[in-house]
Amino acid sequence: MPNKPSESLPGKFLEQLETVLDPQEIQDFRKSLAKASPTSIRFNPHKPISSASNMDPVPWCPTAYYLPERPSFTLDPSFHGGAYYVQEASSTFLHHILSTIQLPPSSIALDLCAAPGGKSTLLSSYLGETGIVVANEVIKSRAQVLKENIIKWGLGNTIVTQNDPSHFSDLEGFFDIVLVDAPCSGEGMFRKDPAAISEWSPENVSLCVARQQRIIDQVGALPKGGGYLIYATCTYNRKENEESIAFLTREFAYDPVRIPVREEWGIRESEIAVEDDTYYGYRFFPHQVTGEGLFISVLRRTGNSDQSVGLTKEFRHSHLKRVSPKDIPEEISSQLDSTRAIRLYQLGESYFAIPEKKQPIFEKLADCLNIRYFGVELGQVIRGEWLPSHEWALSVLEKKNIPRLELSRDEALKFLKKDSISADNSQKGWLLITYLGLPLGWVKNLGNRVNNYYPKAWRIRS
Ligand code: SAM
């Protein structure tokens, strides 16, 4: 029984690899699969914790670093507080792309195939307070994981939706940037996930191509004129990569975008000739970069299609209601910074905040899409009693007057396991639990006991 991915590669995969690598390189590629997969993390600039002094930087992303070995992330409270995201290094090249292309200051981004959220959280950080990200995932269980990662990241500029690509047809010309990180045959994950090898077959590649073309057909018109479409896969074959780009450019009008890459990065540029134009793709191979396999290409939509939205006088929605600060409990409104312009909504017993300037965009999206999370959930009022939400604890939105209880690592782990923790009686009521200054969640100090409000579904089970 072969135990290294390099020994068990399907013959047909190797035949196909010959169309992208020469024979010597195929040897190097196979050797690289026998090595350990590098571990990398990308820090959350809005939740700074400590310097990355012992780590090697990922050269194309200033917030990403390689770790000398893979630690137990579960046992690091700052991981649960959203201080960093464990992201494969090649994927963080998206940062370099974003910093190269010219995006308007308050861009609207769509990440169409977003779970578990690596690229959505990168987009969220890159666009920051002025931008907005729609992080969409069609599969329900994966949309739940995406939602949790967006909540942990905590910027409040992201809307999580669960829609099929066909549901976006009312949003043509709406986005400044559309990212299609397409479901693919996963050849670039052979080292990290050897199960991908047994799932690989030429038939599966063909199924992936058909699915990718269907997705491209449904979303090729979503970027505004002058907006960008970024297409990525974690696979090597030309059918799912260069041929998908050729398909896109035959169906829709796009200009090529060339991304400068440094030679020492080991990234390979691929030219894609379509009629009179040459488009570009960027290929990552594990024998050339410290990372896994990736293909990524950037195109710019021609023409001037632009669906701008204005605020409607009334907002009619089956579940969501606009509310004003005077409609929400004083316990919540008094915590918010009055200088930060926000708009409030009620969904059932919960109250949510979004940045004021995003109101027309949000309401348009809420009209068209199945929204699973948006902005920051502040809390609920149940039978007249205010319950601050875990989402608010993890968000960067202020919690002005709430006392904090800083815990040691061991105590923080107890809190994250939903075990009981102790607090002295000097501060009663709601306390924000922090570790290294990073909020982790809520407890309520009743004097004779402390109730732990860490969500049951999120608790550490080990
Ligand atoms: N962008 C993600 C990240 O960086 O964390 C990884 C996305 S993964 C490569 C592709 C995603 O596409 C999966 O979450 C998968 O559930 C989703 N997907 C599967 N079938 C799809 C379809 N027909 N249309 C859109 N997305 C689909």
Side-chain angles (χ1 to χ4, degrees):
M1 178 87 179
N3 53 10
K4 288 183 185 155
S6 53
E7 290 164 16
S8 55
L9 297 175
K12 289 244 183 318
F13 166 74
L14 289 169
E15 271 172 38
Q16 174 201 269
L17 200 61
E18 284 168 17
T19 64
V20 285
L21 294 177
D22 64 36
Q24 176 53 48
E25 277 197 301
I26 292 186
Q27 293 308 316
D28 296 342
F29 171 82
R30 297 187 74 159
K31 279 186 207 148
S32 73
L33 293 199
K35 294 186 184 154
S37 191
T39 301
S40 44
I41 59 173
R42 181 172 44 76
F43 284 105
N44 185 341
H46 290 79
K47 295 187 174 188
I49 42 162
S50 66
S51 74
S53 52
N54 293 330
M55 306 177 198
D56 286 335
V58 174
W60 43 81
C61 178
T63 50
Y65 292 84
Y66 296 104
L67 302 185
E69 57 194 25
R70 194 176 178 87
S72 168
F73 292 112
T74 307
L75 297 180
D76 178 8
S78 60
F79 169 68
H80 299 274
Y84 58 87
Y85 189 96
V86 183
Q87 188 170 29
E88 196 285 300
S90 304
S91 300
T92 66
F93 186 69
L94 178 61
H95 177 96
H96 179 65
I97 291 176
L98 296 172
S99 58
T100 303
I101 60 180
Q102 284 152 16
L103 288 172
S106 48
S107 288
I108 315 173
L110 167 64
D111 184 358
L112 185 78
C113 315
K119 297 188 184 67
S120 291
T121 51
L122 192 155
L123 275 164
S124 164
S125 288
Y126 190 85
L127 297 182
E129 274 187 12
T130 57
I132 191 161
V133 180
V134 180
N136 178 69
E137 169 58 45
V138 64
I139 297 174
K140 192 174 177 187
S141 57
R142 290 180 62 82
Q144 180 59 28
V145 176
L146 171 66
K147 175 179 159 181
E148 287 180 15
N149 283 328
I150 295 299
I151 288 167
K152 269 193 207 167
W153 207 244
L155 264 61
N157 65 352
T158 304
I159 296 166
V160 179
T161 61
Q162 191 210 325
N163 284 93
D164 185 79
S166 60
H167 300 166
F168 286 80
S169 54
D170 286 344
L171 295 167
E172 291 191 359
F174 191 79
F175 297 98
D176 297 286
I177 184 161
V178 173
L179 170 63
V180 181
D181 191 11
C184 71
S185 59
E187 296 159 0
M189 290 295 131
F190 281 1
R191 174 167 66 179
K192 218 173 154 196
D193 175 19
I197 302 178
S198 48
E199 282 159 22
W200 188 92
S201 68
E203 294 73 31
N204 190 36
V205 170
S206 303
L207 282 175
C208 289
V209 171
R211 192 195 290 139
Q212 287 150 359
Q213 292 193 352
R214 213 165 43 239
I215 294 174
I216 288 170
D217 246 341
Q218 286 161 340
V219 304
L222 300 187
K224 294 173 181 165
Y228 295 89
L229 190 139
I230 301 179
Y231 176 86
T233 71
C234 58
T235 209
Y236 302 115
N237 69 75
R238 289 186 186 278
K239 290 182 190 156
E240 295 180 67
N241 293 322
E242 283 84 350
E243 290 180 30
S244 286
I245 299 301
F247 175 81
L248 167 70
T249 57
R250 280 194 293 267
E251 302 279 308
F252 302 93
Y254 276 95
D255 285 333
V257 178
R258 198 168 184 190
I259 303 295
V261 285
R262 290 181 171 218
E263 211 185 318
E264 65 269 24
W265 292 354
I267 299 164
R268 194 182 283 209
E269 187 178 74
S270 164
E271 293 190 354
I272 310 160
V274 188
E275 289 161 14
D276 293 337
D277 275 316
T278 301
Y279 294 83
Y280 300 93
Y282 296 88
R283 288 180 157 274
F284 294 63
F285 290 100
H287 62 289
Q288 290 174 321
V289 302
T290 310
E292 304 303 333
L294 177 83
F295 171 89
I296 195 157
S297 178
V298 188
L299 303 96
R300 190 165 200 193
R301 186 126 195 257
T302 54
N304 48 16
S305 59
D306 185 346
Q307 190 185 140
S308 49
V309 284
L311 191 64
T312 52
K313 212 165 159 201
E314 266 191 87
F315 172 59
R316 288 182 191 279
H317 191 274
S318 50
H319 307 297
L320 279 171
K321 198 167 92 182
R322 281 182 193 163
V323 286
S324 78
K326 65 176 172 25
D327 298 324
I328 67 169
E330 215 261 324
E331 290 96 325
I332 299 179
S333 55
S334 63
Q335 306 301 333
L336 299 171
D337 181 351
S338 55
T339 59
R340 194 191 279 251
I342 57 168
R343 282 282 172 258
L344 297 162
Y345 292 86
Q346 187 176 359
L347 173 68
E349 288 154 332
S350 294
Y351 295 95
F352 289 76
I354 62 159
E356 182 183 29
K357 285 194 177 142
K358 303 300 168 205
Q359 185 176 18
I361 296 167
F362 168 67
E363 292 187 357
K364 169 76 184 172
L365 291 167
D367 242 9
C368 308
L369 300 174
N370 174 25
I371 296 205
R372 296 282 306 270
Y373 187 70
F374 65 100
V376 179
E377 183 177 353
L378 297 169
Q380 302 187 328
V381 177
I382 296 179
R383 288 184 293 278
E385 203 199 329
W386 172 56
L387 279 174
S389 75
H390 186 62
E391 289 77 356
W392 185 23
L394 291 193
S395 94
V396 300
L397 210 63
E398 53 281 295
K399 294 154 268 281
K400 264 194 328 179
N401 304 317
I402 298 183
R404 293 173 174 233
L405 180 61
E406 171 74 14
L407 299 183
S408 67
R409 182 174 174 276
D410 285 351
E411 286 172 317
L413 286 173
K414 273 172 78 183
F415 170 71
L416 295 167
K417 286 178 183 168
K418 214 169 161 50
D419 289 346
S420 54
I421 60 156
S422 51
D424 65 38
N425 274 346
S426 60
Q427 293 173 321
K428 293 226 179 91
W430 289 106
L431 305 178
L432 184 64
I433 294 297
T434 61
Y435 169 71
L436 303 178
L438 191 71
L440 296 181
W442 303 106
V443 293
K444 195 169 188 184
N445 187 0
L446 302 177
N448 54 349
R449 66 171 199 275
V450 177
N451 286 344
N452 183 338
Y453 278 81
Y454 198 70
K456 203 169 167 194
W458 290 42
R459 76 187 189 282
I460 301 179
R461 289 187 176 82
S462 61

